[in-house]
Amino acid sequence: MKRLLTVKTLAILTAIVLVFSLCAGGCSRQAVVDEMGNSNPISIDPAPVTEYVDDAGNPVLPEWQGGTGISEAELERYGAEYAQKVIDNAQPPDQNKSTPQIPDIIPKDPALDSPASPSDSGSPKTEPVDSGESTSPEESLPQKQDENLPVTTNEYYSLPVMSIDTGGTAIVSKSEYINAKVTITNTDANNCITEVTAGIRGRGNSTWALFDKKPYRIRFDSNIDLFGMGKARSYVLLSNNMDMTLMRNYLAFKLSDIMEIEYNTGYQWINVYLNGEYAGLYLLTEQVQTGNNRVDIDPSTVGALDTGYLVELDGTGNAEGHPYFRLNKVENRLPGVANWRDQFVCTIKGPDQNVNKQQVEYIKDYIDRANAAILTGNWQQMTALLDIDSFVNAFLVNSFLLNSDAGWQFYVYKKQGGKLHLGPIWDFDQSMGSSTHGGTGYTGWLCGTVFPWGDALLQIPEFMSLVKERYNQKLPQIKELVPIIDQCVNDYSFDIAMNNLRWPIMGTDYWRCPPEFLNKTDYQWHTDFLKSWLTNRLEHYTSLVNQL
């Protein structure tokens, strides 16, 4: 813990030095981007990270410890080094604690001055006027008379800006919403909103408990369509704390689009201000839930057994008040395939109406039979109970990206009268070599958390034949993932630089930080690592598939 705090202190000091040096030489947009992209080494204890990755089952304790939502199973998963931080950080923040000063170079919240309205002029106030002549990105930016003045508007951001006003009330709970007003600017008129009422609360497990940059869930008072995701009330702000590039969840959703996963989660990068203070660059996504514009499971007959179901399979052992069940143990499993851990629960997230005992028993029996078919390799039963195409697509996304949490938390759904689907995909910040839980290597089929379904599917020839066929069909599009990284860096360089200035954790020791990432405070190093990883993974995965 002392080591962690020391590293954090060094990182903050480095950020302060960076700000002074930038403002001394002129606080222009390009100066910030250039400086944030260059090496800025800091002294960090090079001792190896002690990682506890044993996900063996514990007796489940569904009550959150200290009202935090951290179960005994999660504490074991975090490891002794971080257990106390989890407990400490889960308590309500000290309201008397002073907030770290945000560097002046970070743009001020535009909503504090003149929030944009969709009905203003038909164009966002930061959109350049089309004169009919081509201009470079730099020329289209607002011109400043004195480049040494600090940035005080949002006009430098390439991405939208979300301003959240809670009236100064701190967000300290993952279960209780507090009132808020949400404004979105710096985007096209169709996506601008002004002071729309909503509630906001914390969310997540490790990202909520272990990091200063918090993730949030927003629930609007009425349905609203943000960035073409379809009308719904609930949205999520992912903080991407364990991903120094901020791109891994983004790329995973891109790959899900390529694989044509039926209910892929909508997503949009967005700059967030909370009560006037810059909170960082987030990934705004849909909340995984049922609905016409979400996971449309058609639960049209209240109380019917074969209605639509959305089920979350979760290794934390906490159902958060929803109906839940545990999977039966399976005998005569395929070689090397384990049963699911004792604390693993299946939480029924849909239908929305109260689920009765008979419905719980129905979906439990269905998923138990599907689970037994997979773990024993009974292909005939699998084709009868599973939507095989959805399992092929989800398997490809998780295995190609080496998602170390593939067997820890995921979703399945069953439409009314239909078969069991695997999806939507979720939670990829610990993938693509970003975590000691899976390692930085790019070889093999699976990594990280024990994943009984993945281990079994690898041994079923009929299934893997479909994986080979689907992968080669989509390979040209999958190759397009690598250039997306450079495209994001070029398009959103200032936005990313501001996030890294606000949260200077690159090179520091965070939970499950790969030793290779320590001391690496250059953002370009992390994006180069990700590009190299994906390039090598493409070559290796293609070889694995074609050996089937």
Side-chain angles (χ1 to χ4, degrees):
M1 187 59 60
K2 182 182 291 186
R3 173 172 167 232
L4 184 65
L5 294 174
T6 302
V7 169
K8 251 187 173 179
T9 302
L10 287 168
I12 292 170
L13 289 174
T14 302
I16 293 172
V17 172
L18 174 61
V19 173
F20 277 114
S21 63
L22 284 171
C23 291
C27 291
S28 70
R29 177 182 194 272
Q30 195 57 48
V32 177
V33 174
D34 290 344
E35 190 67 25
M36 293 301 294
N38 292 333
S39 296
N40 186 28
I42 58 178
S43 176
I44 296 178
D45 180 2
V49 179
T50 301
E51 173 62 5
Y52 297 83
V53 298
D54 183 8
D55 284 328
N58 287 324
V60 63
L61 297 176
E63 285 80 16
W64 302 90
Q65 295 191 2
T68 68
I70 304 302
S71 69
E72 183 176 317
E74 288 175 298
L75 290 179
E76 178 183 347
R77 184 168 181 251
Y78 295 142
E81 181 179 357
Y82 293 97
Q84 190 60 47
K85 181 173 175 58
V86 171
I87 295 171
D88 291 344
N89 217 25
Q91 304 306 317
D94 183 356
Q95 300 299 312
N96 296 320
K97 182 179 178 181
S98 60
T99 303
Q101 184 176 359
I102 299 177
D104 284 341
I105 196 169
I106 293 178
K108 308 307 179 193
D109 184 356
L112 295 179
D113 299 322
S114 55
S117 170
S119 60
D120 283 348
S121 61
S123 299
K125 68 188 182 72
T126 57
E127 185 174 76
V129 177
D130 184 2
S131 63
E133 301 178 1
S134 61
T135 57
S136 68
E138 289 298 328
E139 290 172 339
S140 66
L141 289 169
Q143 301 300 308
K144 294 168 55 178
Q145 294 182 348
D146 185 352
E147 288 297 328
N148 291 321
L149 291 175
V151 179
T152 57
T153 75
N154 70 329
E155 295 175 336
Y156 280 61
Y157 286 126
S158 299
L159 291 162
V161 176
M162 174 182 281
S163 303
I164 303 169
D165 181 9
T166 70
T169 303
I171 305 168
V172 299
S173 172
K174 293 202 304 177
S175 59
E176 297 181 5
Y177 287 92
I178 60 173
N179 295 331
K181 293 181 179 180
V182 180
T183 296
I184 296 178
T185 59
N186 202 48
T187 184
D188 61 86
N190 291 333
N191 290 312
C192 286
I193 61 175
T194 304
E195 295 190 343
V196 177
T197 55
I200 185 170
R201 64 171 173 83
R203 66 164 306 280
N205 292 308
S206 55
T207 48
W208 174 261
L210 296 173
F211 296 91
D212 292 332
K213 183 185 179 187
K214 302 297 185 183
Y216 302 105
R217 179 172 171 179
I218 300 173
R219 187 176 65 189
F220 289 94
D221 290 354
S222 58
N223 289 342
I224 185 171
D225 182 358
L226 298 184
F227 301 98
M229 297 183 201
K231 286 188 176 182
R233 291 182 64 191
S234 293
Y235 290 84
V236 167
L237 289 170
L238 294 177
S239 53
N240 294 313
N241 285 305
M242 288 173 282
D243 174 14
M244 298 302 100
T245 69
L246 305 175
M247 294 186 192
R248 285 174 169 83
N249 275 313
Y250 181 82
L251 291 172
F253 292 139
K254 285 283 188 185
L255 181 55
S256 296
D257 283 338
I258 291 170
M259 299 311 301
E260 299 176 89
I261 287 179
E262 184 177 27
Y263 296 124
N264 189 31
T265 304
Y267 52 98
Q268 168 67 49
W269 264 345
I270 194 162
N271 296 287
V272 174
Y273 284 80
L274 183 58
N275 292 322
E277 292 190 342
Y278 179 62
L281 183 58
Y282 283 75
L283 192 63
L284 175 72
T285 75
E286 301 172 10
Q287 167 71 17
V288 178
Q289 60 184 169
T290 60
N292 293 335
N293 295 310
R294 296 299 183 256
V295 183
D296 192 2
I297 57 176
D298 190 25
S300 57
T301 306
V302 176
L305 294 183
D306 192 5
T307 185
Y309 294 91
L310 173 65
V311 181
E312 179 183 13
L313 285 77
D314 186 6
T316 64
N318 181 59
E320 296 184 321
H322 292 275
Y324 70 94
F325 57 90
R326 294 189 178 85
L327 293 168
N328 289 341
K329 302 297 182 184
V330 177
E331 302 296 333
N332 303 316
R333 301 180 305 279
L334 292 169
V337 175
N339 274 307
W340 295 97
R341 297 172 300 281
D342 289 339
Q343 82 270 16
F344 206 84
V345 298
C346 303
T347 304
I348 301 175
K349 294 297 184 74
D352 291 334
Q353 75 270 8
N354 292 331
V355 179
N356 61 40
K357 180 180 179 181
Q358 290 74 28
Q359 288 176 313
V360 174
E361 290 174 347
Y362 171 83
I363 192 61
K364 171 178 167 49
D365 175 70
Y366 195 103
I367 295 180
D368 268 331
R369 287 187 288 128
N371 180 54
I374 296 171
L375 299 192
T376 60
N378 188 327
W379 182 246
Q380 184 177 359
Q381 281 293 302
M382 288 173 60
T383 56
L385 297 169
L386 309 179
D387 182 273
I388 297 296
D389 289 344
S390 75
F391 273 73
V392 168
N393 289 330
F395 176 89
L396 274 169
V397 173
N398 280 283
S399 62
F400 178 77
L401 300 180
L402 283 181
N403 182 16
S404 66
D405 276 341
W408 182 256
Q409 188 265 347
F410 57 98
Y411 293 90
V412 297
Y413 63 91
K414 182 185 181 300
K415 297 179 183 178
Q416 185 170 201
K419 298 179 181 181
L420 192 70
H421 290 65
L422 183 55
I425 69 102
W426 187 254
D427 195 11
F428 279 76
D429 55 350
Q430 292 195 64
S431 68
M432 297 172 249
S434 68
S435 169
T436 55
H437 193 46
T440 55
Y442 54 84
T443 61
W445 284 104
L446 301 166
C447 71
T449 304
V450 175
F451 187 19
W453 283 1
D455 294 335
L457 293 171
L458 282 168
Q459 301 181 52
I460 302 172
E462 297 92 340
F463 182 83
M464 294 307 295
S465 175
L466 295 174
V467 168
K468 178 180 180 178
E469 179 183 350
R470 184 64 167 165
Y471 177 76
N472 284 318
Q473 178 189 29
K474 291 293 184 179
L475 182 56
Q477 293 168 269
I478 295 173
K479 290 180 178 178
E480 296 172 3
L481 288 175
V482 177
I484 287 176
I485 300 171
D486 278 336
Q487 179 184 337
C488 290
V489 171
N490 292 333
D491 291 348
Y492 312 135
S493 57
F494 183 78
D495 308 66
I496 293 169
M498 291 300 96
N499 179 85
N500 294 339
L501 185 60
R502 177 67 179 88
W503 305 108
I505 65 172
M506 282 192 298
T508 66
D509 177 16
Y510 58 88
W511 180 56
R512 287 185 174 172
C513 173
E516 299 93 322
F517 287 14
L518 291 176
N519 297 303
K520 302 301 191 302
T521 59
D522 182 357
Y523 182 74
Q524 184 176 342
W525 184 93
H526 290 277
T527 55
D528 285 347
F529 173 89
L530 183 56
K531 284 191 297 183
S532 297
W533 191 96
L534 273 174
T535 301
N536 291 329
R537 183 61 178 163
L538 267 166
E539 180 179 355
H540 178 74
Y541 198 84
T542 303
S543 175
L544 285 178
V545 166
N546 290 327
Q547 290 173 22
L548 293 172

